[in-house]
Amino acid sequence: MKTIVILISGRGSNMQAILRAGLGVRIAAVLSNEPHAAGLEIARAAGIPTVALDHRGFSSRDAFDRALAAEIDARAPDLVVLAGFMRILGKDFVQRYFGRMVNIHPSLLPAFPGLDTHRRALQAGVRLHGCTVHFVTAEVDHGPIIVQAAVPVLPGDDATGLAARVLEQEHRIYPQALAWLARGDVRLDADGRVGFPHARAAGALIAPLPDA
Ligand code: GRF
């Protein structure tokens, strides 16, 4: 059975979706840089060990990264899962877990890396927005893509409504990506992209729909 650790900073709804999915993995710990993250309560209620490591208590980013790595390595995980973890991680940290650390981002990368993605997508006038699960590399929100879900932007959408519909899809694709990873179905190729031995895909998602 594969072992994972999950890193959060806040509400923890993606973490909860992963817990609920019953992936047949051992969740060794949930770690947060925010001691009051609501997700920590959810994890505790589910009987998962939690660790709060307040980044404000460290003299440098490196010192925080090292303490975080020590907590992670003590659990010897196969996968490190960032689920709404809002700290930027240093190069050494990212390198240490390259190929076994994944993140979910609320946009169709490489569009809209960074924060405030839903508002920026609306402002850009895109018809399709969405979310992406990817391996983590030193460049924030840029690593090899595992899976994406596209969500149509609807007339009258505001950032809150759009975020809610994207979040629903996050809760579908993140557990699925982890299931594939745990089964060894996701391969990181030498060209830096993800190979997919058993890919299935929808024909197309078009928004707005063409005339019938
Ligand atoms: C999600 O939108 C995720 O894509 C982004 O941060 C948010 C975290 O939400 N990285 P939650 O804590 O999982 O509810």
Side-chain angles (χ1 to χ4, degrees):
M1 186 184 277
K2 302 276 185 196
T3 298
I4 71 173
V5 298
I6 305 178
L7 274 55
I8 63 168
S9 297
R11 131 191 97 173
S13 72
N14 277 288
M15 175 208 72
Q16 192 169 26
I18 293 163
L19 304 189
R20 283 186 176 151
L23 296 175
V25 297
R26 191 171 75 87
I27 302 174
V30 170
L31 277 56
S32 174
N33 65 306
E34 290 288 352
H36 303 297
L40 287 175
E41 282 306 317
I42 299 172
R44 280 184 206 119
I48 295 166
T50 61
V51 180
L53 213 56
D54 190 340
H55 59 275
R56 298 167 198 90
F58 293 86
S59 55
S60 66
R61 193 178 288 282
D62 272 1
F64 172 75
D65 281 5
R66 279 197 300 272
L68 187 61
E71 290 290 349
I72 293 170
D73 293 349
R75 276 98 187 160
D78 299 286
L79 280 176
V80 178
V81 176
L82 308 186
F85 186 69
M86 300 306 284
R87 293 296 294 171
I88 291 177
L89 297 161
K91 270 206 177 68
D92 290 350
F93 186 96
V94 169
Q95 194 48 46
R96 184 183 194 88
Y97 302 107
F98 180 70
R100 53 195 184 104
M101 180 158 64
V102 291
N103 181 44
I104 187 147
H105 181 74
S107 78
L108 290 174
L109 291 174
F112 313 119
L115 298 174
D116 214 6
T117 55
H118 309 298
R119 192 190 52 79
R120 288 159 60 210
L122 288 170
Q123 213 162 46
V126 297
R127 297 295 189 226
L128 291 170
H129 182 43
C131 47
T132 303
V133 178
H134 65 96
F135 285 106
V136 176
T137 53
E139 198 179 348
V140 175
D141 300 330
H142 272 84
I145 291 171
I146 299 168
V147 57
Q148 297 183 301
V151 173
V153 177
L154 303 179
D157 254 347
D158 61 9
T160 309
L162 184 55
R165 293 207 313 286
V166 170
L167 191 65
E168 255 180 66
Q169 300 308 315
E170 294 185 34
H171 296 166
R172 290 179 69 189
I173 66 169
Y174 214 180
Q176 176 64 78
L178 297 179
W180 285 329
L181 284 157
R183 292 205 306 252
D185 280 352
V186 175
R187 186 183 70 215
L188 192 50
D189 285 343
D191 64 6
R193 286 184 305 212
V194 170
F196 240 122
H198 308 296
R200 289 195 309 136
L205 183 53
I206 305 175
L209 276 174
D211 296 339

